[in-house]
Amino acid sequence: MTHRSSFLKQHNDEAAVFQSFRDINELIQDTIELKRRQVAVESELKDMQGRYSELSVQFAEVEGERQKLEMNLKNRSPMRS
């Protein structure tokens, strides 16, 4: 019986080791997937920041034009009166 119980203990130990390897492998795969998602989100964020910058510049240009038009209208109003 001692030989059999030694065999079972070794088998259980091997099974535990293999399960640990599977668990570690799963954690590695999860980490790789999280890193891939992080890279994708960072890329999307960078694109959004670029679009925001472009929109900010366009807004500033439009606002400048609006102010010019407003000044032109104010300057023309007294002449018409």
Side-chain angles (χ1 to χ4, degrees):
M1 273 202 167
T2 307
H3 178 68
R4 180 183 165 125
S5 103
S6 172
F7 173 78
L8 289 175
K9 181 178 182 338
Q10 181 182 355
H11 178 71
N12 287 339
D13 289 348
E14 285 178 3
V17 167
F18 285 129
Q19 184 59 49
S20 293
F21 282 143
R22 285 190 291 271
D23 292 345
I24 290 168
N25 188 51
E26 187 176 331
L27 288 171
I28 290 169
Q29 293 301 320
D30 289 348
T31 302
I32 289 169
E33 176 62 19
L34 287 172
K35 183 62 178 173
R36 186 194 64 75
R37 289 182 190 173
Q38 178 186 359
V39 168
V41 168
E42 286 174 350
S43 176
E44 186 176 348
L45 178 60
K46 189 173 182 178
D47 289 346
M48 290 173 73
Q49 287 171 332
R51 288 194 304 265
Y52 176 80
S53 293
E54 289 174 16
L55 288 172
S56 294
V57 168
Q58 289 175 356
F59 176 80
E61 291 171 351
V62 168
E63 181 61 18
E65 289 298 316
R66 186 195 66 78
Q67 289 177 2
K68 284 181 190 176
L69 289 172
E70 190 176 295
M71 292 301 290
N72 284 339
L73 287 174
K74 283 181 182 177
N75 289 336
R76 289 181 186 195
S77 292
M79 289 186 203
R80 289 187 173 182
S81 299

